[in-house]
Coordinates of all heavy atoms in Angstrom, one line a residue:
N2 N -13.0 -4.1 -2.0 CA -12.0 -3.5 -3.0 C -12.7 -2.9 -4.2 O -12.2 -1.9 -4.7 CB -11.0 -4.6 -3.4 CG -9.9 -4.1 -4.2 OD1 -9.1 -3.3 -3.7 ND2 -9.7 -4.5 -5.4
L3 N -13.8 -3.5 -4.6 CA -14.6 -3.0 -5.7 C -15.0 -1.5 -5.3 O -14.9 -0.6 -6.1 CB -15.8 -3.8 -6.0 CG -16.8 -3.3 -7.0 CD1 -16.1 -3.3 -8.4 CD2 -18.0 -4.2 -7.0
V4 N -15.6 -1.4 -4.1 CA -16.0 -0.1 -3.7 C -14.9 0.9 -3.5 O -14.9 2.1 -3.9 CB -16.9 -0.1 -2.4 CG1 -17.3 1.2 -1.9 CG2 -18.1 -1.1 -2.6
R5 N -13.8 0.4 -2.9 CA -12.6 1.2 -2.7 C -12.1 1.8 -4.0 O -11.7 3.0 -4.1 CB -11.5 0.4 -2.0 CG -10.2 1.0 -1.8 CD -9.1 0.2 -2.5 NE -7.8 0.7 -2.1 CZ -7.2 1.7 -2.6 NH1 -7.7 2.4 -3.6 NH2 -6.0 2.1 -2.2
E6 N -12.0 1.0 -5.0 CA -11.4 1.4 -6.3 C -12.4 2.3 -7.0 O -12.0 3.2 -7.8 CB -11.0 0.2 -7.1 CG -9.8 -0.5 -6.5 CD -9.2 -1.6 -7.3 OE1 -9.8 -1.9 -8.4 OE2 -8.1 -2.1 -7.0
R7 N -13.7 2.1 -6.8 CA -14.7 2.9 -7.4 C -14.6 4.3 -6.9 O -14.8 5.3 -7.7 CB -16.1 2.4 -7.1 CG -17.3 3.1 -7.6 CD -18.6 2.6 -7.1 NE -18.8 1.2 -7.6 CZ -19.7 0.3 -7.0 NH1 -20.3 0.7 -5.9 NH2 -19.8 -0.9 -7.5
Y8 N -14.3 4.5 -5.6 CA -14.2 5.8 -5.0 C -12.8 6.5 -5.2 O -12.6 7.7 -5.4 CB -14.5 5.8 -3.5 CG -15.9 5.5 -3.2 CD1 -16.3 5.2 -1.9 CD2 -16.9 5.4 -4.2 CE1 -17.6 4.9 -1.6 CE2 -18.2 5.1 -3.9 CZ -18.6 4.8 -2.6 OH -19.9 4.5 -2.2
N9 N -11.7 5.6 -5.1 CA -10.4 6.2 -5.0 C -9.4 5.6 -6.0 O -8.2 5.8 -5.8 CB -9.9 6.0 -3.6 CG -10.6 6.9 -2.6 OD1 -10.4 8.2 -2.6 ND2 -11.5 6.4 -1.8
G10 N -9.9 4.9 -6.9 CA -9.0 4.3 -8.0 C -7.9 3.4 -7.3 O -8.2 2.6 -6.5
N11 N -6.7 3.6 -7.8 CA -5.6 2.8 -7.3 C -4.6 3.5 -6.4 O -3.5 3.1 -6.2 CB -4.8 2.2 -8.6 CG -4.0 1.0 -8.2 OD1 -4.4 0.2 -7.4 ND2 -2.8 0.8 -8.8
F12 N -5.1 4.6 -5.9 CA -4.3 5.5 -5.0 C -4.2 4.9 -3.6 O -5.2 4.4 -3.0 CB -4.7 6.9 -5.0 CG -4.7 7.6 -6.3 CD1 -5.8 8.3 -6.8 CD2 -3.5 7.5 -7.1 CE1 -5.7 8.9 -8.0 CE2 -3.5 8.2 -8.3 CZ -4.6 8.8 -8.8
G13 N -3.1 5.1 -2.9 CA -2.9 4.8 -1.5 C -2.4 6.1 -0.8 O -1.3 6.6 -1.1
Y14 N -3.2 6.7 0.0 CA -2.9 8.0 0.5 C -2.1 7.9 1.9 O -2.3 7.0 2.6 CB -4.2 8.8 0.8 CG -5.0 9.0 -0.4 CD1 -6.3 8.4 -0.6 CD2 -4.6 9.8 -1.5 CE1 -7.1 8.6 -1.7 CE2 -5.3 10.0 -2.6 CZ -6.6 9.4 -2.7 OH -7.3 9.5 -3.9
F15 N -1.3 8.9 2.1 CA -0.6 9.1 3.4 C -0.3 10.5 3.6 O -0.4 11.4 2.7 CB 0.7 8.3 3.3 CG 1.8 8.9 2.5 CD1 2.8 9.7 3.0 CD2 1.8 8.6 1.1 CE1 3.7 10.3 2.2 CE2 2.8 9.1 0.3 CZ 3.8 10.0 0.8
N16 N 0.1 10.9 4.8 CA 0.4 12.3 5.1 C 1.7 12.3 6.0 O 2.1 11.3 6.6 CB -0.7 13.1 5.6 CG -1.1 12.7 7.1 OD1 -0.9 11.6 7.5 ND2 -1.8 13.6 7.7
V17 N 2.3 13.5 6.1 CA 3.4 13.7 7.0 C 2.9 14.5 8.2 O 2.4 15.6 8.1 CB 4.5 14.5 6.3 CG1 5.7 14.7 7.3 CG2 5.1 13.7 5.1
N18 N 2.8 13.8 9.4 CA 2.2 14.4 10.5 C 2.9 14.2 11.8 O 3.8 13.3 11.9 CB 0.7 13.9 10.6 CG 0.6 12.4 10.9 OD1 1.6 11.7 10.8 ND2 -0.5 12.0 11.2
T19 N 2.6 14.9 12.8 CA 3.1 14.8 14.2 C 2.0 14.8 15.2 O 1.1 15.6 15.0 CB 4.2 15.9 14.5 OG1 5.3 15.7 13.6 CG2 4.7 15.8 15.9
H20 N 2.1 14.0 16.2 CA 1.1 14.1 17.3 C 1.6 14.9 18.5 O 2.7 14.9 18.8 CB 0.8 12.6 17.8 CG -0.1 11.8 16.9 ND1 -1.0 11.0 17.3 CD2 -0.1 11.8 15.5 CE1 -1.6 10.4 16.3 NE2 -1.1 10.9 15.2
I21 N 0.6 15.6 19.1 CA 0.9 16.3 20.4 C -0.2 15.9 21.3 O -1.4 16.0 21.0 CB 0.9 17.8 20.2 CG1 2.0 18.2 19.3 CG2 1.0 18.5 21.6 CD1 2.1 19.7 19.1
N22 N 0.1 15.3 22.4 CA -0.8 15.0 23.5 C -0.5 15.9 24.7 O 0.4 15.6 25.5 CB -0.7 13.5 23.9 CG -0.8 12.5 22.8 OD1 0.2 11.8 22.5 ND2 -1.9 12.6 22.0
P23 N -1.2 17.1 24.8 CA -0.8 18.1 25.7 C -0.7 17.7 27.2 O 0.1 18.2 28.0 CB -1.8 19.2 25.5 CG -2.3 19.0 24.1 CD -2.3 17.5 23.9
T24 N -1.7 16.8 27.6 CA -1.6 16.3 29.0 C -2.2 14.9 29.0 O -3.0 14.5 28.1 CB -2.4 17.2 29.9 OG1 -2.4 16.6 31.2 CG2 -3.9 17.3 29.5
N25 N -1.8 14.1 29.9 CA -2.4 12.8 30.1 C -3.3 12.7 31.4 O -3.9 11.7 31.7 CB -1.3 11.7 30.2 CG -0.4 11.8 31.4 OD1 -0.3 12.8 32.0 ND2 0.4 10.8 31.6

């Protein structure tokens, strides 16, 4: 956590995404 906050402060990142698996 010390390293995590050293690099990224108190932020928690996320994104809005969609997966496509063209073939199995």
Side-chain angles (χ1 to χ4, degrees):
N2 190 59
L3 173 68
V4 177
R5 176 238 191 276
E6 293 187 352
R7 180 185 294 159
Y8 292 171
N9 290 287
N11 202 34
F12 297 132
Y14 302 112
F15 71 95
N16 69 338
V17 178
N18 62 348
T19 294
H20 284 218
I21 297 180
N22 308 119
T24 180
N25 63 347

